[in-house]
Amino acid sequence: MVRITYKDVVEAVRQLAVDVAFNLPADVRRAIETAIEAESSPQGREYLEQILENDRLAQREKLPLCQDTGLAVLFVDQGNQVQVAAPAEHPEATLTDAINEGIRAGYEQAYLRKSVVAEPLNERRNTGTNTPAIIHHRWVAGSELTISLLAKGGGAENKSKLAMLKPSDGREGVVDFVLDTLRLAGADACPPFVVGVGIGGDFETVGLLAKRALLRKIDSAHPDKYYRQLENELLGKINALKIGPQGMGGDTTALAVLIETAPCHIASLPVAVNIECHSHRHRSVTLRGGEDG
Amino acid sequence: MAEVVQLRPPLDEEAVRSLHAGQAVLISGPLLTGRDAAHKRLYDLLQAGGELPVDLAGELIYFVGPTPARPGRVIGSAGPTTSSRMDAYSPALLATGLRGMIGKGYRGPGVREALVKYGAVHLAAAGGLGALLGSKITGSEILAYEDLGPEAIRRLVVQDFPAVVAYDAHGKSIYDR
């Protein structure tokens, strides 16, 4: 068994929350630089340049990239050899508690916006801590604890969609659904987008697939040739919508399409589209604990 | 690119009717802020025949929920939020004399009609550039609904705040293609 302390998890999550708010991820910065070269609209190019300028200013002035510092969505892969050791004074504290404590500390200390309401329909009172975080936990083989954070802005998340297609709708049905979703998102969701697409699984799994797809580096190739081609086809067709940076027209509507799939029922073809804005704030950290004698 | 129009709120109807979709503007002067929760409260008050806690006549309202200010700063990051979520409320506020709104993305037919009817405008600020836009703000104080946290109504003062006329008072939009 390998032990990782509660405090180490809190600190790792706090650091992720802060890092992600003030720095564009390197893969996103590269993609924007490439897009500037290719963009034919002068206004579009100017907006893309401003994304990089905003990033430089955010780092220099310690201002968050965006005022919507997001709902904290965490993906936790816990090795089956890893035990998270609760602190002696709170022996009942869980991994979930550690993550929420890290988010609370990061959002408070770095002057990030608290964007969570405690209950969705009646009073919608702000919790004031940006918690609870959304946590997706998975047991995996090994002795490491990997924590990934997506700071998910509301504008792009609101334009995400899910459909239970028929198998006969096929590849064309999936492509049409993705394009319809992006067309509706348009200027509202802060293009150029990073588009996560989930295909397969069931109703609740497919949304998670679309979100998990967003953890892949945006300049990485899908390991499966069929889906690599589908990603390229979708990216081409999304950019052909000419929504452009800020929805003001141009060639750069999306920076990447990332697909994640799962087996599904013989009757089903679930598909989900999870949209990310141009800041695509994502970071991962892997903790390796000490041996437990 | 065409000349940039300088806007100095508060604005009268004539100034707003002279604006046309696609024009770039630089705003200097006072703005109000308000987003989902504040809009709902203002709207509910109007429906109930109550008096608003702030006078909207001649004002521009910026759809924004800024990040908290670090010590020594006026405000944190402050880019626009999605305007269409305010569509249900905006026509009622425009009827009280609100002269314009600043946000991102599309507006529905009800808002577009109200802009023409009352002589008002919707300006698009660049989404996701909260650090850049926050640095154009030189003053900030809470006017109402402090309990809403980031959604409180604030009085901002801005200097050379960049935006584009997205929907004008003549029924035109930059997004019509």
Side-chain angles (χ1 to χ4, degrees), chain B residues 22-98:
Chain B
Q23 280 179 319
V25 301
L26 284 174
I27 308 163
S28 298
L31 301 178
L32 290 173
T33 74
R35 45 170 294 155
D36 308 57
H39 270 74
K40 178 167 169 43
R41 285 193 188 176
L42 295 176
Y43 180 83
D44 288 346
L45 262 177
L46 287 174
Q47 295 300 104
E51 197 177 323
L52 299 185
V54 286
D55 183 4
L56 302 179
E59 298 277 1
L60 292 178
I61 192 162
Y62 182 20
F63 302 151
V64 62
T67 60
R70 281 178 188 276
R73 277 198 172 272
V74 167
I75 204 164
S77 284
T81 196
T82 310
S83 303
S84 57
R85 291 198 316 274
M86 268 49 82
D87 279 6
Y89 310 122
S90 292
L93 301 190
L94 290 166
T96 74
L98 179 68

Side-chain angles (χ1 to χ4, degrees), chain A residues 61 64 67 113 188 242 246, chain B residues 65 73 77 79 104 106 177:
Chain A
E61 301 291 328
Q67 76 291 336
R113 197 180 77 185
D188 283 3
K242 301 285 178 194
Q246 297 293 342
Chain B
R73 277 198 172 272
S77 284
K104 71 171 159 101
Y106 309 125
R177 270 179 282 166

Side-chain angles (χ1 to χ4, degrees), chain A residues 11-242:
Chain A
E11 176 53 23
V13 170
R14 189 197 67 79
Q15 195 63 51
L16 283 177
V18 175
D19 285 349
V20 90
F22 295 98
N23 299 286
L24 273 186
D27 57 344
V28 176
R29 200 176 302 129
R30 283 194 299 272
I32 300 278
E33 284 163 357
T34 306
I36 290 170
E37 302 292 316
E39 178 58 61
S40 65
S41 150
Q43 194 180 20
R45 265 202 309 278
E46 196 181 321
Y47 278 128
L48 293 171
E49 300 272 8
Q50 283 177 1
I51 294 173
L52 299 180
E53 193 188 333
N54 188 62
D55 178 46
R56 287 190 291 270
L57 190 69
Q59 291 176 43
R60 194 173 69 231
E61 301 291 328
K62 281 276 160 220
L63 285 164
L65 291 165
C66 180
Q67 76 291 336
D68 185 350
T69 45
L71 180 64
V73 181
L74 292 113
F75 290 85
V76 181
D77 283 355
Q78 182 171 3
N80 58 349
Q81 298 301 307
V82 173
Q83 186 194 5
V84 176
E89 64 277 21
H90 296 295
E92 74 293 348
T94 64
L95 177 58
T96 299
D97 296 328
I99 289 170
N100 280 320
E101 195 175 323
I103 292 296
R104 194 181 310 126
Y107 275 71
E108 189 56 37
Q109 291 163 14
Y111 296 89
L112 307 184
R113 197 180 77 185
K114 323 304 182 291
S115 309
V116 176
V117 292
E119 159 280 315
L121 193 56
N122 185 19
E123 294 193 329
R124 291 185 67 87
R125 192 166 292 148
N126 197 305
T127 62
T129 59
N130 216 54
T131 63
I134 306 279
I135 302 171
H136 302 294
H137 179 274
R138 226 167 34 172
W139 287 105
V140 297
S143 56
E144 295 177 344
L145 181 69
T146 297
I147 304 173
S148 304
L149 170 66
L150 285 172
K152 204 68 179 69
E157 187 74 0
N158 279 351
K159 297 292 168 179
S160 302
K161 277 186 187 292
L162 189 160
M164 302 302 286
L165 300 182
K166 297 188 293 290
S168 63
D169 292 326
R171 180 172 174 139
E172 200 184 323
V174 171
V175 170
D176 286 349
F177 179 70
V178 173
L179 292 179
D180 287 348
T181 302
L182 272 292
R183 207 177 278 121
L184 279 175
D188 283 3
C190 288
F193 308 121
V194 176
V195 184
V197 179
I199 309 172
D202 62 0
F203 181 78
E204 82 277 7
T205 311
V206 72
L208 190 52
L209 288 172
K211 185 149 285 171
R212 193 182 288 281
L214 294 169
L215 298 181
R216 217 178 87 206
K217 286 257 183 298
I218 67 172
D219 45 8
S220 66
H222 196 288
D224 182 297
K225 187 178 163 202
Y226 178 87
Y227 291 105
R228 191 155 65 238
Q229 284 172 345
L230 182 56
E231 286 180 352
N232 289 334
E233 178 187 342
L234 283 168
L235 183 60
K237 287 182 169 166
I238 290 168
N239 283 328
L241 296 174
K242 301 285 178 194

